[in-house]
Amino acid sequence: MIFLTVFEFRAPAKISNPPGPPGGGPPDLNKFELPAADGYIVLAAHPGQGMVLMSCLDAAVVDESDPLASDHTLDMYDERNGFRTPPAESRYAPDFVERYRAAQRARCARIDAIARRHIAEASHARAAMRAPEFASSSAESRRHVARRAMAPHYMVVYRTQANPNYLDLAIDKSERAVGSIISARPDLANYTAFGLGRIVTPDAWLSTWSGLSSSAKMASNLPKVTVPTLVVGANGDQDIFISDVHREFEASGASDKTLAFIEGADHLMRAGGIKAHLGDPRPRLMKVLTDWTRDRFAP
């Protein structure tokens, strides 16, 4: 995700809500005065890291401790559900996609619960260290409590390359090709060690990677941005889809807002998708950015 901000340090802006990270602790940005931007450019921006991850969480996972445990009725990489091996295009029935999205949300909620449990255990240990009786407890007990209070509990989130949009191009139609920004074979990449939010602390999961708990969501934050705003999408993007870009534009609280799409561009603004033959999209992108900026901020 790329945010470009054109600003001068003038009228201070106060952030309101939320009071702090979803996992608890600092910082509370409401206590700080932040400089206001003159303009805001949102370029191939995701609707929130947690929202993107929730859309590609493998809904078939039935055991967070076992990377292979699956419910085949929710497996988008099962031929019985419409899967075809890339580069062939898969086709998923609308009722399967509906069940799949609901199961993704349910899995996200389960991981949230695991994260909150770990945070609660660490908080309990820190409270125990502050208790009057801590000093008189056994050395073994003090060591255990202190280590639990200090040690983060890393979570492994398996199989995070499983968005039906990767393979069924009839879903949220665009110029994109089969695959994701990580791999042309997400059916295989789904099982590798590399992936979005794969190894995280409970705090990081709730603050950044949870589509349910994270406050980092365009839908709730863009309405607060009222300075001139330019929203730019890439027509061949395999992870940020046309509907995402339109929703960001609609969510913007700016009275002066502009929507633009770059043909033949992938997520990183390289030539990609079915119109890659148009060549390097970056000069066309730069014209959009510079024209918009010059029209509003040139002296």
Side-chain angles (χ1 to χ4, degrees), residues 177-258:
V178 166
S180 75
I181 62 171
I182 290 177
S183 176
R185 290 291 304 274
D187 55 314
L188 300 179
N190 192 43
Y191 289 88
T192 63
F194 177 76
L196 299 177
R198 192 58 59 87
I199 301 176
V200 293
T201 62
D203 307 72
W205 171 264
L206 293 173
S207 293
T208 301
W209 293 110
S210 169
L212 299 177
S213 296
S214 173
S215 301
K217 293 184 175 74
M218 283 287 198
S220 55
N221 290 304
L222 269 180
K224 304 172 188 176
V225 179
T226 58
V227 296
T229 298
L230 170 63
V231 179
V232 184
N235 280 359
D237 200 325
Q238 294 171 301
D239 270 84
I240 311 305
F241 305 101
I242 299 297
S243 63
D244 293 324
V245 181
H246 278 289
R247 278 192 291 268
E248 289 165 2
F249 177 73
E250 291 161 7
S252 169
S255 57
D256 175 1
K257 57 183 179 180
T258 304

Side-chain angles (χ1 to χ4, degrees), residues 84-102:
R84 298 294 179 269
T85 302
E89 188 178 345
S90 300
R91 277 290 180 268
Y92 301 111
D95 66 317
F96 172 80
V97 175
E98 184 177 358
R99 288 191 299 109
Y100 191 87
R101 296 303 188 198

